């Protein structure tokens, strides 16, 4: 480029995880971006834990509209717009809703295996995730959720189980699964 040429702003990258996960799921992507773009690329990486996940309050969500509204409120409170929005699975469905509700807040939208694009969902996986009380019982369900189950190590399953160790969190997520995926289908 020429001296003094305008550069695109380094807008933050806002990441929304899928059901049963939390913001820590994005750490490998953040590392890959730092490697690909250089550690000083200037894009702040922001993660929002969906309600009832990670460090977010254990609040019950009545349905998808309430979930989307809670995330819109969190994004509004963060006052970080515009953002490059990345959503995975349920986070992808929420990202679509956010882009619809706050279109000017979204610079770009990236969806990874997004939910909400049809009625199909693997209800057995959701039930298995909800029932799992140990890493050994969680691991097979995590492996079923990815293209190559070998990528989900026992260490990863143990770390994921630590994030799901609380009975209250599992109960809130079970209620959310029933509200969002009644009878094993996507209800939104």
């Amino acid at each position: 480029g020429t001296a003094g040429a305008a550069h695109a702003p380094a807008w933050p990258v806002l990441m929304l995880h899928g059901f049963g996960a939390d913001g820590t799921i994005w750490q490998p992507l953040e590392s890959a971006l730092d490697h690909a773009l250089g550690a000083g690329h200037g894009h702040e990486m922001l993660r929002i834990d969906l309600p009832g996940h990670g460090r977010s309050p254990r609040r019950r969500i009545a349905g998808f509209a309430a979930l989307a509204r809670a995330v819109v409120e969190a994004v509004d409170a963060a006052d970080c717009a515009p953002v490059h929005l990345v959503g995975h699975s349920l986070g992808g469905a929420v990202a679509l809703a956010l882009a619809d509700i706050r279109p000017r807040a979204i610079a770009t939208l990236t969806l990874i295996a997004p939910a909400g694009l049809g009625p199909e969902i693997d209800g057995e996986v959701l039930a298995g995730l909800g029932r799992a009380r140990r890493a050994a019982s969680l691991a097979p369900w995590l492996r079923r959720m990815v293209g190559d189950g070998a990528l989900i190590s026992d260490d990863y399953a143990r770390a994921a189980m630590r994030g799901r160790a609380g009975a209250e969190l599992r109960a809130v997520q079970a209620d959310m699964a029933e509200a969002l995926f009644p009878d094993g289908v996507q209800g939104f």
Side-chain angles (χ1 to χ4, degrees):
T2 60
H7 293 285
W11 291 315
V13 177
L14 176 63
M15 297 166 284
L16 301 174
H17 61 79
F19 182 82
D22 61 36
T24 61
I25 196 82
W26 297 109
Q27 288 174 338
L29 177 64
E30 290 179 28
S31 296
L33 286 173
D34 284 347
H35 179 73
L37 300 176
H41 57 75
H43 293 278
E44 183 180 8
M45 305 297 204
L46 307 172
R47 305 181 218 155
I48 292 180
D49 283 335
L50 296 176
H53 292 76
R55 295 176 299 179
S56 284
R58 306 293 183 244
R59 65 193 258 202
R60 302 207 184 269
I61 297 297
F64 185 76
L67 176 62
R69 195 169 30 259
V71 173
V72 167
E73 290 170 2
V75 170
D76 287 349
D79 193 27
C80 57
V83 298
H84 296 291
L85 183 59
V86 180
H88 171 247
S89 192
L90 179 58
V94 173
L96 280 171
L98 179 58
D100 183 47
I101 296 167
R102 295 283 189 274
R104 289 191 172 99
I106 311 305
T108 62
L109 177 63
T110 302
L111 305 176
I112 304 168
L117 299 180
E120 297 84 20
I121 194 150
D122 193 336
E124 288 182 23
V125 167
L126 291 175
L129 291 173
R131 285 190 313 267
R133 304 286 184 268
R134 296 180 313 277
S137 59
L138 180 63
W141 300 112
L142 294 173
R143 289 181 179 122
R144 186 164 157 175
M145 293 175 61
V146 299
D148 180 0
L151 295 174
I152 304 296
S153 68
D154 290 340
D155 285 342
Y156 180 87
R158 281 190 288 277
M161 194 65 229
R162 280 192 299 275
R164 303 180 45 73
E168 181 186 15
L169 178 137
R170 290 192 308 269
V172 167
Q173 288 181 1
D175 286 348
M176 183 183 291
E178 183 56 35
L180 298 176
F181 312 113
D183 301 324
V185 298
Q186 293 186 82
F188 54 92

